[in-house]
Amino acid sequence: MRLLLLLALLLATATAAAQPAPRPDGIEMRAGSAALRVTALTDDILRIQATTGDTWPDGDPWAVLPAWRGRSVAVTPRPDGFATAALRVAIDPASLLLTIRDPSGAVLLAEAPGGAPALPGGGFRLCQSSPPDAHYVGLGDKPGPLDRRGRAFVNWNADAYAWQEATDPLYKSVPFFMTLRGATAYGVFLDSTWRSWFDFGVARADAVCFGAAGGTPDWY
């Protein structure tokens, strides 16, 4: 009984601590020491950043063209997030888990428990729900089947002479993948120069998880 009361108190505290801060181009929300910022660059492109401190990382993203830096569109505020002409963004105030829907309300992307904006040894981990009918393509020159489901990869440029199907990492890092479900598709680009990794259902059959050895989450 004491354990249940303690858990209830912790959940209530986390929910009460969440502080949504609407922005003209998105939203910020903080729960405890963690904070999430979602910015709409266009009606159908979002930038998602997270931090565990009081400040956001400075500097322009390395992998984004100058024409896109500082770009944004106005959004329509909603009680749990915001909407653009193409997307509806919702953030759970207790967990800061993100859900992105299309205008009809169908879920495109839903973050799953298990992610962490900061890990004890450094770096971070992000997890997204993986429906049974989802397929994953991308990461550039990686060996193996086109569908990455059921496989895990590391991005860290390395000399890989005479590589085989199981060789990983390879000589090129492309931290972008697409999720395909029927007629629906969306892409995820992780903007990180750190050693990164992508797990398409190996550690967890119900989730796609990815992260990096350092830095903070910054993805599109």
Side-chain angles (χ1 to χ4, degrees):
M1 180 61 72
R2 290 182 178 177
L3 178 59
L4 291 176
L5 289 175
L6 177 59
L7 288 174
L9 178 61
L10 289 174
L11 289 174
T13 301
T15 303
Q19 301 174 6
R23 298 161 47 97
D25 56 1
I27 193 171
E28 289 183 13
M29 188 173 289
R30 180 175 294 275
S33 62
L36 183 70
R37 175 189 288 173
V38 184
T39 304
L41 303 187
T42 68
D43 285 332
D44 58 359
I45 299 179
L46 305 174
R47 182 184 184 185
I48 300 98
Q49 299 168 275
T51 183
T52 55
D54 295 327
T55 60
W56 298 93
D58 294 327
D60 291 325
W62 285 94
V64 177
L65 293 174
W68 283 84
R69 296 174 185 171
R71 185 172 178 176
S72 65
V73 297
V75 303
T76 302
R78 294 173 56 89
D80 56 355
F82 67 86
T84 70
L87 300 172
R88 286 166 48 184
V89 175
I91 303 173
D92 181 81
S95 63
L96 297 187
L97 292 180
L98 175 70
T99 301
I100 303 173
R101 295 178 170 86
D102 67 16
S104 72
V107 174
L108 299 175
L109 181 154
E111 287 192 311
L119 295 172
F124 59 88
R125 177 177 62 245
L126 303 171
C127 292
Q128 301 171 0
S129 296
S130 177
D133 62 340
H135 303 277
Y136 304 96
V137 298
L139 299 189
D141 296 343
K142 293 290 189 182
L146 182 64
D147 189 348
R148 305 305 191 187
R149 190 179 187 108
R151 302 197 65 195
F153 302 90
V154 171
N155 272 358
W156 188 248
N157 295 7
D159 186 6
Y161 174 74
W163 58 271
Q164 304 296 320
E165 183 173 348
T167 304
D168 190 67
L170 289 181
Y171 46 82
K172 187 186 297 181
S173 297
V174 182
F176 174 83
F177 69 89
M178 294 183 66
T179 298
L180 311 176
R181 295 187 65 199
T184 302
Y186 65 84
V188 169
F189 167 61
L190 176 63
D191 187 5
S192 174
T193 57
W194 290 83
R195 183 185 183 100
S196 60
W197 55 271
F198 296 80
D199 185 321
F200 298 97
V202 176
R204 294 176 52 185
D206 64 340
V208 168
C209 296
F210 56 94
T216 57
D218 190 351
W219 58 286
Y220 297 76

PDB file of all heavy atoms in Angstrom, residues 151-168:
ATOM      1  N   ARG A 151      16.606  -5.681 -37.122  1.00  0.00           N
ATOM      2  CA  ARG A 151      18.052  -5.527 -37.163  1.00  0.00           C
ATOM      3  C   ARG A 151      18.457  -4.271 -36.388  1.00  0.00           C
ATOM      4  O   ARG A 151      17.642  -3.383 -36.129  1.00  0.00           O
ATOM      5  CB  ARG A 151      18.557  -5.428 -38.606  1.00  0.00           C
ATOM      6  CG  ARG A 151      18.186  -6.639 -39.468  1.00  0.00           C
ATOM      7  CD  ARG A 151      19.031  -6.703 -40.709  1.00  0.00           C
ATOM      8  NE  ARG A 151      20.444  -6.933 -40.382  1.00  0.00           N
ATOM      9  CZ  ARG A 151      21.436  -6.746 -41.231  1.00  0.00           C
ATOM     10  NH1 ARG A 151      21.203  -6.295 -42.446  1.00  0.00           N
ATOM     11  NH2 ARG A 151      22.685  -6.986 -40.875  1.00  0.00           N
ATOM     12  N   ALA A 152      19.725  -4.195 -36.020  1.00  0.00           N
ATOM     13  CA  ALA A 152      20.264  -3.042 -35.294  1.00  0.00           C
ATOM     14  C   ALA A 152      21.575  -2.630 -35.949  1.00  0.00           C
ATOM     15  O   ALA A 152      22.327  -3.475 -36.462  1.00  0.00           O
ATOM     16  CB  ALA A 152      20.482  -3.382 -33.825  1.00  0.00           C
ATOM     17  N   PHE A 153      21.855  -1.320 -35.923  1.00  0.00           N
ATOM     18  CA  PHE A 153      23.015  -0.785 -36.620  1.00  0.00           C
ATOM     19  C   PHE A 153      23.692   0.296 -35.787  1.00  0.00           C
ATOM     20  O   PHE A 153      23.067   0.926 -34.935  1.00  0.00           O
ATOM     21  CB  PHE A 153      22.603  -0.180 -37.967  1.00  0.00           C
ATOM     22  CG  PHE A 153      21.913  -1.137 -38.890  1.00  0.00           C
ATOM     23  CD1 PHE A 153      20.532  -1.262 -38.857  1.00  0.00           C
ATOM     24  CD2 PHE A 153      22.630  -1.906 -39.784  1.00  0.00           C
ATOM     25  CE1 PHE A 153      19.877  -2.137 -39.709  1.00  0.00           C
ATOM     26  CE2 PHE A 153      21.997  -2.796 -40.631  1.00  0.00           C
ATOM     27  CZ  PHE A 153      20.606  -2.915 -40.599  1.00  0.00           C
ATOM     28  N   VAL A 154      24.976   0.503 -36.082  1.00  0.00           N
ATOM     29  CA  VAL A 154      25.760   1.572 -35.467  1.00  0.00           C
ATOM     30  C   VAL A 154      26.235   2.516 -36.564  1.00  0.00           C
ATOM     31  O   VAL A 154      26.664   2.074 -37.633  1.00  0.00           O
ATOM     32  CB  VAL A 154      26.975   1.009 -34.703  1.00  0.00           C
ATOM     33  CG1 VAL A 154      27.901   2.138 -34.251  1.00  0.00           C
ATOM     34  CG2 VAL A 154      26.523   0.183 -33.505  1.00  0.00           C
ATOM     35  N   ASN A 155      26.151   3.797 -36.315  1.00  0.00           N
ATOM     36  CA  ASN A 155      26.697   4.800 -37.230  1.00  0.00           C
ATOM     37  C   ASN A 155      27.991   5.344 -36.653  1.00  0.00           C
ATOM     38  O   ASN A 155      28.004   6.057 -35.657  1.00  0.00           O
ATOM     39  CB  ASN A 155      25.693   5.952 -37.420  1.00  0.00           C
ATOM     40  CG  ASN A 155      24.708   5.683 -38.537  1.00  0.00           C
ATOM     41  OD1 ASN A 155      24.780   4.657 -39.207  1.00  0.00           O
ATOM     42  ND2 ASN A 155      23.777   6.596 -38.744  1.00  0.00           N
ATOM     43  N   TRP A 156      29.084   4.959 -37.282  1.00  0.00           N
ATOM     44  CA  TRP A 156      30.407   5.442 -36.870  1.00  0.00           C
ATOM     45  C   TRP A 156      31.359   5.144 -38.017  1.00  0.00           C
ATOM     46  O   TRP A 156      31.740   3.996 -38.245  1.00  0.00           O
ATOM     47  CB  TRP A 156      30.865   4.745 -35.590  1.00  0.00           C
ATOM     48  CG  TRP A 156      32.129   5.310 -35.002  1.00  0.00           C
ATOM     49  CD1 TRP A 156      33.351   4.696 -34.924  1.00  0.00           C
ATOM     50  CD2 TRP A 156      32.294   6.598 -34.398  1.00  0.00           C
ATOM     51  NE1 TRP A 156      34.263   5.516 -34.317  1.00  0.00           N
ATOM     52  CE2 TRP A 156      33.640   6.690 -33.977  1.00  0.00           C
ATOM     53  CE3 TRP A 156      31.443   7.678 -34.176  1.00  0.00           C
ATOM     54  CZ2 TRP A 156      34.148   7.832 -33.349  1.00  0.00           C
ATOM     55  CZ3 TRP A 156      31.941   8.814 -33.545  1.00  0.00           C
ATOM     56  CH2 TRP A 156      33.285   8.874 -33.131  1.00  0.00           C
ATOM     57  N   ASN A 157      31.736   6.178 -38.774  1.00  0.00           N
ATOM     58  CA  ASN A 157      32.527   5.962 -39.978  1.00  0.00           C
ATOM     59  C   ASN A 157      33.794   5.164 -39.684  1.00  0.00           C
ATOM     60  O   ASN A 157      34.597   5.551 -38.832  1.00  0.00           O
ATOM     61  CB  ASN A 157      32.909   7.296 -40.615  1.00  0.00           C
ATOM     62  CG  ASN A 157      31.696   8.055 -41.127  1.00  0.00           C
ATOM     63  OD1 ASN A 157      30.560   7.662 -40.892  1.00  0.00           O
ATOM     64  ND2 ASN A 157      31.942   9.147 -41.832  1.00  0.00           N
ATOM     65  N   ALA A 158      33.965   4.054 -40.400  1.00  0.00           N
ATOM     66  CA  ALA A 158      35.102   3.174 -40.149  1.00  0.00           C
ATOM     67  C   ALA A 158      35.545   2.525 -41.457  1.00  0.00           C
ATOM     68  O   ALA A 158      34.736   2.314 -42.367  1.00  0.00           O
ATOM     69  CB  ALA A 158      34.724   2.094 -39.135  1.00  0.00           C
ATOM     70  N   ASP A 159      36.829   2.218 -41.556  1.00  0.00           N
ATOM     71  CA  ASP A 159      37.341   1.502 -42.709  1.00  0.00           C
ATOM     72  C   ASP A 159      36.782   0.083 -42.673  1.00  0.00           C
ATOM     73  O   ASP A 159      36.945  -0.629 -41.682  1.00  0.00           O
ATOM     74  CB  ASP A 159      38.865   1.481 -42.658  1.00  0.00           C
ATOM     75  CG  ASP A 159      39.468   0.887 -43.909  1.00  0.00           C
ATOM     76  OD1 ASP A 159      38.707   0.591 -44.852  1.00  0.00           O
ATOM     77  OD2 ASP A 159      40.697   0.718 -43.952  1.00  0.00           O
ATOM     78  N   ALA A 160      36.091  -0.308 -43.737  1.00  0.00           N
ATOM     79  CA  ALA A 160      35.434  -1.622 -43.742  1.00  0.00           C
ATOM     80  C   ALA A 160      35.753  -2.355 -45.041  1.00  0.00           C
ATOM     81  O   ALA A 160      34.868  -2.782 -45.780  1.00  0.00           O
ATOM     82  CB  ALA A 160      33.932  -1.459 -43.561  1.00  0.00           C
ATOM     83  N   TYR A 161      37.045  -2.516 -45.300  1.00  0.00           N
ATOM     84  CA  TYR A 161      37.465  -3.204 -46.521  1.00  0.00           C
ATOM     85  C   TYR A 161      36.951  -4.643 -46.519  1.00  0.00           C
ATOM     86  O   TYR A 161      36.965  -5.332 -45.500  1.00  0.00           O
ATOM     87  CB  TYR A 161      38.992  -3.188 -46.634  1.00  0.00           C
ATOM     88  CG  TYR A 161      39.521  -3.997 -47.793  1.00  0.00           C
ATOM     89  CD1 TYR A 161      39.396  -3.524 -49.096  1.00  0.00           C
ATOM     90  CD2 TYR A 161      40.107  -5.239 -47.576  1.00  0.00           C
ATOM     91  CE1 TYR A 161      39.867  -4.266 -50.169  1.00  0.00           C
ATOM     92  CE2 TYR A 161      40.580  -5.992 -48.645  1.00  0.00           C
ATOM     93  CZ  TYR A 161      40.451  -5.504 -49.941  1.00  0.00           C
ATOM     94  OH  TYR A 161      40.898  -6.247 -50.989  1.00  0.00           O
ATOM     95  N   ALA A 162      36.487  -5.096 -47.690  1.00  0.00           N
ATOM     96  CA  ALA A 162      35.985  -6.459 -47.867  1.00  0.00           C
ATOM     97  C   ALA A 162      34.851  -6.782 -46.891  1.00  0.00           C
ATOM     98  O   ALA A 162      34.762  -7.861 -46.338  1.00  0.00           O
ATOM     99  CB  ALA A 162      37.124  -7.471 -47.698  1.00  0.00           C
ATOM    100  N   TRP A 163      33.972  -5.802 -46.695  1.00  0.00           N
ATOM    101  CA  TRP A 163      32.863  -6.005 -45.757  1.00  0.00           C
ATOM    102  C   TRP A 163      31.909  -7.083 -46.250  1.00  0.00           C
ATOM    103  O   TRP A 163      31.790  -7.347 -47.443  1.00  0.00           O
ATOM    104  CB  TRP A 163      32.131  -4.683 -45.516  1.00  0.00           C
ATOM    105  CG  TRP A 163      31.581  -4.026 -46.756  1.00  0.00           C
ATOM    106  CD1 TRP A 163      32.216  -3.147 -47.575  1.00  0.00           C
ATOM    107  CD2 TRP A 163      30.280  -4.217 -47.305  1.00  0.00           C
ATOM    108  NE1 TRP A 163      31.406  -2.762 -48.604  1.00  0.00           N
ATOM    109  CE2 TRP A 163      30.195  -3.408 -48.464  1.00  0.00           C
ATOM    110  CE3 TRP A 163      29.184  -4.980 -46.938  1.00  0.00           C
ATOM    111  CZ2 TRP A 163      29.054  -3.345 -49.267  1.00  0.00           C
ATOM    112  CZ3 TRP A 163      28.027  -4.926 -47.734  1.00  0.00           C
ATOM    113  CH2 TRP A 163      27.988  -4.120 -48.870  1.00  0.00           C
ATOM    114  N   GLN A 164      31.217  -7.680 -45.289  1.00  0.00           N
ATOM    115  CA  GLN A 164      30.250  -8.738 -45.561  1.00  0.00           C
ATOM    116  C   GLN A 164      28.868  -8.281 -45.094  1.00  0.00           C
ATOM    117  O   GLN A 164      28.699  -7.180 -44.579  1.00  0.00           O
ATOM    118  CB  GLN A 164      30.669 -10.027 -44.846  1.00  0.00           C
ATOM    119  CG  GLN A 164      32.063 -10.517 -45.193  1.00  0.00           C
ATOM    120  CD  GLN A 164      32.197 -10.915 -46.644  1.00  0.00           C
ATOM    121  OE1 GLN A 164      31.292 -11.524 -47.215  1.00  0.00           O
ATOM    122  NE2 GLN A 164      33.335 -10.567 -47.255  1.00  0.00           N
ATOM    123  N   GLU A 165      27.881  -9.154 -45.240  1.00  0.00           N
ATOM    124  CA  GLU A 165      26.507  -8.780 -44.906  1.00  0.00           C
ATOM    125  C   GLU A 165      26.346  -8.411 -43.436  1.00  0.00           C
ATOM    126  O   GLU A 165      25.529  -7.578 -43.086  1.00  0.00           O
ATOM    127  CB  GLU A 165      25.540  -9.915 -45.257  1.00  0.00           C
ATOM    128  CG  GLU A 165      24.078  -9.560 -45.003  1.00  0.00           C
ATOM    129  CD  GLU A 165      23.123 -10.624 -45.511  1.00  0.00           C
ATOM    130  OE1 GLU A 165      23.563 -11.519 -46.249  1.00  0.00           O
ATOM    131  OE2 GLU A 165      21.935 -10.552 -45.155  1.00  0.00           O
ATOM    132  N   ALA A 166      27.142  -9.017 -42.577  1.00  0.00           N
ATOM    133  CA  ALA A 166      27.018  -8.753 -41.140  1.00  0.00           C
ATOM    134  C   ALA A 166      27.948  -7.641 -40.658  1.00  0.00           C
ATOM    135  O   ALA A 166      27.951  -7.327 -39.468  1.00  0.00           O
ATOM    136  CB  ALA A 166      27.292 -10.033 -40.352  1.00  0.00           C
ATOM    137  N   THR A 167      28.745  -7.040 -41.549  1.00  0.00           N
ATOM    138  CA  THR A 167      29.688  -6.007 -41.128  1.00  0.00           C
ATOM    139  C   THR A 167      28.958  -4.730 -40.724  1.00  0.00           C
ATOM    140  O   THR A 167      28.107  -4.228 -41.453  1.00  0.00           O
ATOM    141  CB  THR A 167      30.673  -5.682 -42.255  1.00  0.00           C
ATOM    142  OG1 THR A 167      31.343  -6.875 -42.668  1.00  0.00           O
ATOM    143  CG2 THR A 167      31.711  -4.664 -41.797  1.00  0.00           C
ATOM    144  N   ASP A 168      29.312  -4.223 -39.570  1.00  0.00           N
ATOM    145  CA  ASP A 168      28.743  -2.956 -39.093  1.00  0.00           C
ATOM    146  C   ASP A 168      29.576  -2.479 -37.918  1.00  0.00           C
ATOM    147  O   ASP A 168      29.952  -3.292 -37.070  1.00  0.00           O
ATOM    148  CB  ASP A 168      27.277  -3.153 -38.662  1.00  0.00           C
ATOM    149  CG  ASP A 168      26.562  -1.839 -38.395  1.00  0.00           C
ATOM    150  OD1 ASP A 168      26.356  -1.080 -39.368  1.00  0.00           O
ATOM    151  OD2 ASP A 168      26.226  -1.572 -37.236  1.00  0.00           O
TER     152      ASP A 168
END
